[in-house]
Amino acid sequence: MGIDLKSGGRRVGHNVRTTPVSKNPYLKLLERLFSFIGRRGDSKFAKVIAKRLCQSRINNLPISVSRVKRYMKGKEDKTAVVVGTVTDDPRLLEVPGLKIAALRFTETARARIVKAGGECLTLDQLALRAPKGTNTVLLRGRKNVREAQKYFGHRTSVYNPHTHDGVKPRTISKGRKFERARGRRKSVGFKV
């Protein structure tokens, strides 16, 4: 008996999301709005926003005001677009008056941006102002700064000793007796 390979087999997972998993109706409406603009207006910008609205929370990381300031240097007349949260950075002494459109703002970030003469827009307000993304800069938070990301990598082998360089080992402790045998000594297997 063969396997019934209906519609591309039985491989589950690694699918591109077409709708947000969240039950938030605002998010669902936003996704529908931007996918419509992307499809009917042939806007790549709107398609990217629709795609990012569907992403998991691990892939939609927050961005701080200081990082937005750094990325918007020399582009102060444009609108920064963030499909995620804009957070405050207390280390930043002066917040410039920027126009930022985002899913949400933390209270302090919103207060500081508005006080500096900037503007905090929602994504539906952005859709009315710039549906095709004219005069906008699309930004996102750093994805690979999570602690878990530091452990990802390949295992070291005799033939390929440097694949594990820069990958944090999952050890109990960082002492004399840990991670010091095979792969770290010439007398035991090999030395990296």
Side-chain angles (χ1 to χ4, degrees):
M1 286 278 296
I3 311 166
D4 179 21
L5 294 172
K6 65 168 190 180
S7 64
R10 293 214 180 142
R11 188 162 177 269
V12 181
H14 299 288
N15 303 321
V16 177
R17 286 183 182 180
T18 50
T19 53
V21 172
S22 168
K23 289 181 173 68
N24 184 349
Y26 174 66
L27 209 63
K28 286 181 186 285
L29 285 169
L30 272 179
E31 191 276 326
R32 285 179 71 180
L33 170 68
F34 278 101
S35 60
F36 176 81
I37 295 167
R39 189 177 70 252
R40 296 295 293 273
D42 195 34
S43 166
K44 197 177 176 187
F45 169 81
K47 281 177 184 172
V48 170
I49 287 193
K51 181 185 156 193
R52 288 191 190 176
L53 283 164
C54 296
Q55 283 180 336
S56 60
R57 284 178 68 183
I58 238 169
N59 293 320
N60 249 341
L61 284 137
I63 189 167
S64 68
V65 176
S66 57
R67 200 166 281 276
V68 172
K69 179 192 171 184
R70 194 191 310 168
Y71 291 150
M72 294 299 284
K73 195 176 181 183
K75 303 170 193 166
E76 283 82 6
D77 55 325
K78 296 187 175 184
T79 307
V81 181
V82 180
V83 185
T85 311
V86 175
T87 57
D88 183 29
D89 190 350
R91 298 168 298 180
L92 187 68
L93 300 174
E94 278 186 41
V95 176
L98 291 166
K99 269 192 286 184
I100 307 172
L103 264 181
R104 57 187 77 82
F105 295 85
T106 59
E107 278 181 45
T108 46
R110 186 187 293 274
R112 286 185 76 185
I113 292 162
V114 172
K115 191 182 175 185
E119 204 176 356
C120 297
L121 303 167
T122 56
L123 292 180
D124 51 314
Q125 287 172 322
L126 176 80
L128 291 169
R129 284 195 196 184
K132 290 193 174 185
T134 46
N135 281 332
T136 59
V137 180
L138 193 56
L139 304 173
R140 60 174 157 186
R142 292 163 75 208
K143 209 176 96 171
N144 295 342
V145 291
R146 295 187 306 129
E147 182 63 26
Q149 209 79 30
K150 294 173 186 173
Y151 297 99
F152 297 164
H154 303 285
R155 67 191 178 91
T156 310
S157 67
V158 182
Y159 310 107
N160 202 353
H162 295 289
T163 53
H164 208 69
D165 286 3
V167 177
K168 199 173 178 180
R170 293 186 189 272
T171 53
I172 305 158
S173 180
K174 196 177 189 301
R176 174 185 59 81
K177 303 183 285 185
F178 305 95
E179 300 275 317
R180 293 282 180 271
R182 186 176 184 278
R184 301 300 298 155
R185 289 220 303 271
K186 254 294 193 282
S187 61
V188 190
F190 63 102
K191 169 103 170 68
V192 175

